[in-house]
Amino acid sequence: NQAMLNDKSILITGGTGSFGKKMTKTILERYTPRQLVIYSRDELKQFEMSQRFSERKYPLRYVIGDVRDKERLIRACSGIDYVIHAAALKQIPSCEENVEVAIQTNILGTANVVHVAISNRVDCAINLSADKALYPASVYGATKFLSERLFTEGRVIVYYLSLLILPLPSRLTFEYYFPVSHSLIDPLSTFFSWTLILVLITGAIWY
């Protein structure tokens, strides 16, 4: 359905990242959205992106905010039909050195997105994941694995970054979502992954 995003309000978290900019370009070229909200915490990147995608030329709105700030996210999602969740800490070394921040952003931030999408009655929310979530052996992989679980628990859609094909398919609703991790059916081979995830959660709760 080539018209699925026409006359829709769409919010992209982490919208100034490499995926967010590509997604913005694709949506503006292929569809006629009512509004496209770019939600990110980087003021400089928003300014630089606005030089290419101007609010005067396109139905864009730039909102400075963090997925860890639930109240800000609630306001940004007002009147939104689709949420594309791309905000995350993605550098493996950075996540290893900043475990607490990785948990707050990739897990708790994702939980905020899911809760806000449901409470605001968003038609569809899509999570951008990565292949590292299949057999997580790093902090980044573990946090992305749990972000997938949060989305599937909320009955929304999970896409793998390595498998993402644009434009998005039709029939995107809370009733249609993809199974995520093959590792769920092979707990023995992923003992280390589950141990790492347990350590991360315990550390976050203890802190």
Side-chain angles (χ1 to χ4, degrees):
N1 184 359
Q2 292 298 313
M4 62 171 295
L5 297 182
N6 292 344
D7 198 36
K8 299 294 184 181
S9 293
I10 306 154
L11 181 140
I12 305 176
T13 68
T16 54
S18 56
F19 172 83
K21 287 186 287 189
K22 178 62 177 178
M23 190 67 188
T24 297
K25 180 176 182 290
T26 300
I27 291 175
L28 294 177
E29 286 179 349
R30 300 185 182 185
Y31 304 96
T32 56
R34 183 187 315 128
Q35 185 179 54
L36 183 57
V37 178
I38 306 301
Y39 185 89
S40 76
R41 60 186 180 182
D42 195 315
E43 179 186 13
L44 177 59
K45 286 185 178 181
Q46 286 198 7
F47 172 76
E48 293 172 342
M49 188 171 173
S50 68
Q51 303 306 296
R52 182 180 181 185
F53 302 107
S54 171
E55 292 175 284
R56 295 182 179 180
K57 183 178 180 181
Y58 300 103
L60 284 169
R61 182 164 69 94
Y62 291 93
V63 176
I64 295 176
D66 194 310
V67 292
R68 293 174 293 184
D69 185 346
K70 190 173 182 179
E71 293 304 316
R72 181 68 170 163
L73 199 56
I74 289 173
R75 292 195 294 273
C77 284
S78 177
I80 294 295
D81 299 303
Y82 294 154
V83 170
I84 301 172
H85 179 42
L89 292 185
K90 302 180 178 71
Q91 298 300 316
I92 293 176
S94 178
C95 289
E96 295 293 334
E97 293 294 329
N98 302 276
V99 178
E100 181 185 343
V101 178
I103 292 172
Q104 291 174 347
T105 304
N106 296 357
I107 300 176
L108 302 181
T110 297
N112 287 340
V113 172
V114 172
H115 295 160
V116 170
I118 293 173
S119 63
N120 281 23
R121 298 185 179 276
V122 169
D123 291 339
C124 172
I126 302 169
N127 183 43
L128 186 68
S129 192
D131 56 357
K132 301 294 188 298
L134 286 174
Y135 289 91
S138 64
V139 172
Y140 170 68
T143 58
K144 294 303 287 183
F145 171 83
L146 289 175
S147 76
E148 289 182 356
R149 297 298 296 154
L150 286 166
F151 258 71
T152 53
E153 183 181 62
R155 296 181 64 78
V156 286
I157 294 176
V158 175
Y159 274 116
Y160 291 112
L161 178 59
S162 58
L163 301 179
L164 188 66
I165 300 176
L166 300 177
L168 298 175
S170 59
R171 301 188 73 187
L172 297 180
T173 72
F174 286 116
E175 299 302 319
Y176 295 85
Y177 62 95
F178 298 115
V180 287
S181 180
H182 298 298
S183 63
L184 293 176
I185 60 174
D186 189 11
L188 183 61
S189 66
T190 57
F191 173 78
F192 177 75
S193 300
W194 282 103
T195 302
L196 178 59
I197 290 168
L198 180 61
V199 169
L200 288 173
I201 294 175
T202 303
I205 294 173
W206 177 261
Y207 181 84

